[in-house]
C-alpha cells in the first residue's frame, strides 16, 4: 500500500474518531494542507483498526479523559500479549480511555490481529453469545471478535482475521493477554509544549505523540515533524523544541 493510500485510510479513521477529539475537524485539516506537515503513516495498522469496526462503539463525546480512577496513562502500557500462532505485536496505541495492540505475521501474509482494551465508562456492554470464560474473565462472541470483561464493567475486544479458523485463533490470542501491566513507554526525544498529551503511537520503537488538539509529532531523520491543524507558528515551535534523548525517556516533556 502506498503512503498516499495509507494517508487516505488514516483520514477516514480520524473522521470516525472526530467526536472523541475535542471537536478537531480532520476534514478541515486535510483541506487546509498548507497549515500541516506530512508524516508517514502505518497503513497496515490503520487498516486493521478500520476493518475491526470497534472504534465507533466508543461512547465518550468530547475528548476529555475518563473519570479519575478509571483512566489509562497514555505513557504507560497496561496490557501485553505474546506472539500467538505466527502473529506478533508490532504497534501499540495508548490513550486515556483505550489501549490498542496491533499484530501482524512474523513472515509475509495478509493475516492480522488486534486487541482493543477499554475503560469501564468508554465502551458499552457488548452484544453476542456468552462463551466459556477466558482465564477467568467473562467472554462473549459476537460473530467476528471476542469480548472479555478484563475488569468489572471494563471490556477488551480481541480479533484475528485472515485464517480459516479465525475464531479458534482469536480465543488463543485472548488467552495470551496479560492485563494489569505497567510498562513505561520509552520516547527517544523530549519536547517543550503546553499542549496536553492525548495518545501515544509506538510502532516497533517509532514513537509518535498526539496532543488533544490533534497535532501528532514524530521524529524523522533526527528532527521533529508534526501534522495536524494548528497555528503554523505553534506547530513550528513544537518541532523546533524536539531534542534527542539518549537513552530514551519515560517522560518526554521538559
Amino acid at each position: 500500500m502506498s503512503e498516499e493510500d495509507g494517508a487516505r485510510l488514516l483520514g477516514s479513521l480520524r473522521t470516525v474518531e472526530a467526536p472523541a477529539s475535542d471537536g478537531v475537524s480532520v476534514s478541515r485539516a486535510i483541506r487546509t494542507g498548507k497549515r500541516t506537515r506530512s508524516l508517514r503513516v502505518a497503513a497496515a495498522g490503520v487498516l486493521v483498526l478500520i476493518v475491526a469496526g470497534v472504534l465507533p462503539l466508543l461512547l465518550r463525546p468530547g475528548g476529555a479523559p475518563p473519570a479519575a480512577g478509571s483512566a489509562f496513562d497514555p505513557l504507560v502500557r497496561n496490557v501485553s500479549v505474546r506472539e500467538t500462532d505466527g502473529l506478533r505485536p508490532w504497534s501499540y496505541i495508548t490513550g486515556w480511555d483505550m489501549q490498542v495492540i496491533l499484530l501482524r505475521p512474523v513472515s509475509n501474509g495478509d493475516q492480522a490481529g488486534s486487541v482493543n482494551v477499554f475503560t469501564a465508562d468508554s465502551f458499552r456492554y457488548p452484544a453476542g453469545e456468552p462463551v466459556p470464560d477466558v482465564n477467568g474473565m467473562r467472554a462473549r462472541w459476537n460473530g467476528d471478535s471476542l469480548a472479555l470483561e478484563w475488569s468489572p464493567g471494563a471490556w477488551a475486544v480481541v480479533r484475528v482475521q485472515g485464517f480459516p479458523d479465525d475464531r479458534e485463533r482469536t480465543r488463543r490470542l485472548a488467552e495470551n493477554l496479560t492485563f494489569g501491566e505497567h510498562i513505561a513507554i520509552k520516547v527517544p526525544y523530549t519536547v517543550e509544549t503546553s499542549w496536553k498529551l492525548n495518545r501515544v503511537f509506538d510502532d516497533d520503537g517509532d514513537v509518535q505523540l498526539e496532543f488533544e488538539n490533534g497535532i501528532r509529532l514524530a521524529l524523522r531523520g533526527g528532527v521533529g515533524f508534526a501534522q495536524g491543524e494548528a497555528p503554523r507558528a505553534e506547530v513550528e515551535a513544537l518541532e523546533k523544541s524536539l531534542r534527542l534523548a539518549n537513552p530514551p525517556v519515560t517522560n518526554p516533556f521538559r
Side-chain angles (χ1 to χ4, degrees):
M1 181 177 295
S2 68
E3 290 183 27
E4 291 77 13
D5 289 339
R8 283 193 290 271
L9 286 174
L10 181 62
S12 300
L13 175 61
R14 291 176 61 83
T15 299
V16 170
E17 291 182 328
S21 60
D22 202 17
V24 174
S25 171
V26 175
S27 60
R28 186 168 67 253
I30 295 173
R31 289 195 302 269
T32 57
K34 293 182 179 181
R35 301 171 64 186
T36 65
R37 299 284 185 182
S38 62
L39 181 66
R40 290 181 180 268
V41 297
V46 171
L47 182 58
V48 171
L49 282 175
I50 294 173
V51 175
V54 172
L55 296 183
L57 298 177
L58 289 176
L59 299 182
R60 175 174 305 279
S70 63
F72 294 123
D73 180 345
L75 287 167
V76 176
R77 294 206 302 262
N78 297 98
V79 60
S80 64
V81 65
R82 300 193 304 272
E83 180 182 316
T84 304
D85 290 334
L87 293 177
R88 72 169 185 90
W90 72 278
S91 180
Y92 297 86
I93 305 171
T94 51
W96 292 105
D97 56 4
M98 180 177 67
Q99 298 203 352
V100 177
I101 303 175
L102 303 178
L103 300 96
R104 62 185 178 190
V106 175
S107 56
N108 293 332
D110 296 328
Q111 300 83 8
S114 63
V115 178
N116 298 262
V117 182
F118 302 91
T119 57
D121 54 354
S122 64
F123 185 74
R124 65 173 177 254
Y125 184 79
E129 61 175 298
V131 294
D133 290 357
V134 175
N135 298 337
M137 294 176 286
R138 188 161 55 135
R140 301 182 69 90
W141 177 259
N142 71 359
D144 59 4
S145 61
L146 183 66
L148 310 173
E149 191 176 22
W150 67 275
S151 184
W155 292 82
V157 178
V158 184
R159 173 177 294 192
V160 171
Q161 52 192 355
F163 298 94
D165 56 344
D166 285 347
R167 179 166 180 167
E168 291 76 12
R169 290 172 182 264
T170 295
R171 185 173 183 90
R172 289 197 292 270
L173 179 61
E175 291 170 346
N176 283 335
L177 289 171
T178 300
F179 295 94
E181 300 275 65
H182 191 89
I183 303 172
I185 298 171
K186 295 182 179 180
V187 184
Y189 52 86
T190 63
V191 294
E192 187 173 355
T193 181
S194 61
W195 293 342
K196 184 176 181 179
L197 183 65
N198 184 38
R199 291 185 298 182
V200 176
F201 296 76
D202 185 352
D203 299 342
D204 278 340
D206 177 14
V207 179
Q208 304 170 29
L209 306 180
E210 182 185 83
F211 300 92
E212 61 181 356
N213 59 3
I215 297 295
R216 191 191 294 190
L217 177 69
L219 179 65
R220 294 290 180 266
V223 297
F225 282 91
Q227 69 167 2
E229 183 182 19
R232 186 179 185 87
E234 295 182 21
V235 173
E236 290 182 346
L238 176 68
E239 293 175 333
K240 291 178 181 178
S241 77
L242 187 147
R243 300 288 184 271
L244 297 179
N246 188 15
V249 296
T250 55
N251 180 7
F253 300 104
R254 301 196 302 273

